[in-house]
Amino acid sequence: MKSRVPFNDLKKHHESLQPALGEALQRVIEQSAFIRGPEVDLFEKEFAALTGVKHCISCANGTDALYIAMRALGLRPGDEVITTAHSWIATSETITQAGGRVVFCDTDPDTFTIDPADIARKITPRTKGIIPVHLYGQPADMDPILAIARKHGLWVIEDCAQAHLAEYKGRLVGTMGDVATYSFYPGKNLGAMGDAGGIATNRDDLVEWMTNFSRHGGKGNHLIEGINSRMDGLHGAVLRLKLPHLRGWTARRQQIAAVYDRALAGVGDIVTPVVRAGRSHVYHLYVIQTARRDALRAHLTAAGIETVLNYPKALPFYPAYAYLGHQPADFPVAARHQDRILSLPIFPEMTEEQQTYVVDAIRQYFK
Ligand SMILES: *Cc1c(COP(=O)(O)O)cnc(C)c1O
C-alpha cells in the first residue's frame, strides 16, 4: 500500500522536471556520452561555481569521493583519522579502506555534529586528519575544528553529502576544509538518477592526482594505478538540469522545517532541531527527539506516515566496529541520541495537506 505521506517522493520530484528531463536524457543518448562527456564536464564547472570552490571532480558516488580524497591526501597505514560517531558508515569505512585507523568522537547534544572538544582529546602523534560531517544539513562547528587542524598540522575533509549550500558564519560548506565531498544519491538534496558523487576543493595541488586516480590513473597514460570512479553522462545531464532549482528546493525544505518547528514546539517531550546562531540548515533530514520514539513511530506508521531512523545506531556500536571495543559510555551523547531520534518526512514537493496530516498525527499521539 502506498503511504499517505511518503518519506520522500522522487516520482513527484522528477515529474516536476518534465519535459526537460526527457529531453536531457535524449541528448545523452544522441551523443552516446554514457560515461563522463560534455554534460559531466559542464556540471563540474557549474557545481564548483554554485558552491564557491575552484574545482569540482565528479566521481561515481559520495563514498568514493571520501576514499579518493583520503588517498590524495596521502594517508598511510597506521595513520589515524578522527570522525564523528554519528553519521552514515561511508564516512568511516572509507578511512579504513584508504589504509587509516578510525577514531570516533562524540557529538554535540543539540546539533548532532562532531564535538570539537572531543576531537582535541583524541589527537595523537599519529593523527593525520579530521572528517566533520555536516549532518542532516547543518554545518559542524568549523571554527574550532579548523583551529585544532591548524595547530596540529592536520587536513580536514568536509563530508557535505547532506548539506549542499548550507552556510557557516557566512561561508558555504565545502569551502573551509582542504577537500569537500558530495553525494548525489537520488534522495540527497541534489540527486542524480542513480549513484553519483563529487569532490570539491580549492587546493590546486590535489586536482590532477584526484582526477587521474579516479580514472584508472590517467586517460591515455597510466601515471599511477587508479580506480574506476566516473560519473555517467546521464547523471551529469540530470544534475545540470536540477542545479538551477537547488536554491528554491532548499528554501522549500526550510519553510517546511519552520512549520514543523512551530507546530511541534511544546508537544509532549519533543525536541525539534536546534540551529546554532551563524549556521544555516538545509534540512536534508528533519530529525526530532523523544523518549517515546518507538511508540510514536509505530503510531505514525499505522497512520500511513513513513519515518526513518538516521541512524538506528551510532557507528561505534555496529558489529563492523566491535573490534574497537567501545562502550556506550565512550560516546554518551551519540549513545543517547540513537534511541531518541526520528526523521520526519521532508521534501520540496511535500504539500501543506501532507504536513498538516503529519503534525496532527503527532499531536494526537501525545494527547
Ligand atoms: C550519503 C552519504 C555518503 C555517501 O554517499 P553515497 O553517494 O551514497 O556513496 C557519505 N556521507 C554521508 C554523511 C552521507 O549521508
Side-chain angles (χ1 to χ4, degrees), residues 87-99:
S87 183
W88 177 239
I89 193 169
T91 313
S92 53
E93 69 188 352
T94 47
I95 296 172
T96 312
Q97 284 151 11

Side-chain angles (χ1 to χ4, degrees), residues 61-64 66 87-88 90-91 133 135 159 161-162 183-185 188 195-196 311:
N61 54 69
T63 307
D64 280 0
L66 285 157
S87 183
W88 177 239
T91 313
V133 180
L135 198 77
D159 185 340
Q162 303 186 0
S183 169
F184 307 119
Y185 177 84
K188 295 284 163 75
D195 276 317
Y311 298 91

Side-chain angles (χ1 to χ4, degrees), residues 186-220:
K188 295 284 163 75
N189 285 22
L190 178 66
M193 294 181 85
D195 276 317
I199 306 162
T201 187
N202 285 323
R203 277 189 54 176
D204 300 330
D205 61 314
L206 298 175
V207 174
E208 201 180 300
W209 195 94
M210 294 197 289
T211 305
N212 287 336
F213 182 71
S214 60
R215 303 173 203 170
H216 296 295
K219 202 174 176 181

Side-chain angles (χ1 to χ4, degrees), residues 288-350:
I288 60 167
Q289 296 181 59
T290 165
R292 295 159 73 184
R293 193 268 313 271
D294 292 336
L296 172 63
R297 188 172 192 216
H299 172 83
L300 295 178
T301 303
I305 298 165
E306 259 184 77
T307 58
V308 175
L309 306 184
N310 303 96
Y311 298 91
K313 280 188 203 185
L315 290 170
F317 310 132
Y318 280 102
Y321 294 107
Y323 72 93
L324 292 172
H326 283 305
Q327 303 298 319
D330 297 338
F331 309 98
V333 178
R336 180 172 141 85
H337 281 152
Q338 70 182 12
D339 301 322
R340 292 172 49 83
I341 50 175
L342 184 66
S343 307
L344 302 182
I346 190 165
F347 49 95
E349 298 76 17
M350 191 175 190

Side-chain angles (χ1 to χ4, degrees), residues 98-326:
R101 276 157 57 181
V102 183
V103 177
F104 286 117
C105 276
D106 207 5
T107 49
D108 178 88
D110 295 330
T111 64
F112 306 102
T113 55
I114 193 165
D115 175 8
D118 204 29
I119 298 176
R121 283 191 287 271
K122 301 228 160 118
I123 302 273
T124 77
R126 292 178 300 280
T127 309
K128 287 294 175 330
I130 308 169
I131 310 182
V133 180
H134 305 312
L135 198 77
Y136 301 157
Q138 175 165 203
D141 195 3
M142 290 305 292
D143 277 347
I145 294 170
L146 295 168
I148 293 167
R150 262 194 307 275
K151 183 175 165 195
H152 297 277
L154 312 175
W155 48 253
V156 174
I157 297 175
E158 293 176 67
D159 185 340
C160 299
Q162 303 186 0
H164 315 67
L165 296 183
E167 288 184 25
Y168 178 85
K169 300 186 183 173
R171 288 168 284 171
L172 279 162
V173 296
T175 62
M176 295 172 275
D178 292 84
V179 182
T181 61
Y182 285 91
S183 169
F184 307 119
Y185 177 84
K188 295 284 163 75
N189 285 22
L190 178 66
M193 294 181 85
D195 276 317
I199 306 162
T201 187
N202 285 323
R203 277 189 54 176
D204 300 330
D205 61 314
L206 298 175
V207 174
E208 201 180 300
W209 195 94
M210 294 197 289
T211 305
N212 287 336
F213 182 71
S214 60
R215 303 173 203 170
H216 296 295
K219 202 174 176 181
N221 188 12
H222 308 296
L223 303 165
I224 49 173
E225 285 185 325
I227 60 170
N228 175 6
S229 185
R230 301 173 297 207
M231 185 186 279
D232 296 340
L234 157 72
H235 301 314
V238 170
L239 290 168
R240 278 194 74 207
L241 185 72
K242 288 187 176 185
L243 211 48
H245 298 280
L246 185 56
R247 282 195 192 286
W249 287 333
T250 303
R252 185 69 197 122
R253 287 177 183 275
Q254 289 166 334
Q255 282 164 8
I256 294 166
V259 171
Y260 273 144
D261 284 347
R262 277 194 299 275
L264 300 177
V267 175
D269 68 341
I270 287 179
V271 180
T272 55
V274 175
V275 185
R276 284 281 163 72
R279 299 186 216 181
S280 74
H281 195 319
V282 297
Y283 295 101
H284 171 56
L285 297 168
Y286 186 92
V287 180
I288 60 167
Q289 296 181 59
T290 165
R292 295 159 73 184
R293 193 268 313 271
D294 292 336
L296 172 63
R297 188 172 192 216
H299 172 83
L300 295 178
T301 303
I305 298 165
E306 259 184 77
T307 58
V308 175
L309 306 184
N310 303 96
Y311 298 91
K313 280 188 203 185
L315 290 170
F317 310 132
Y318 280 102
Y321 294 107
Y323 72 93
L324 292 172
H326 283 305

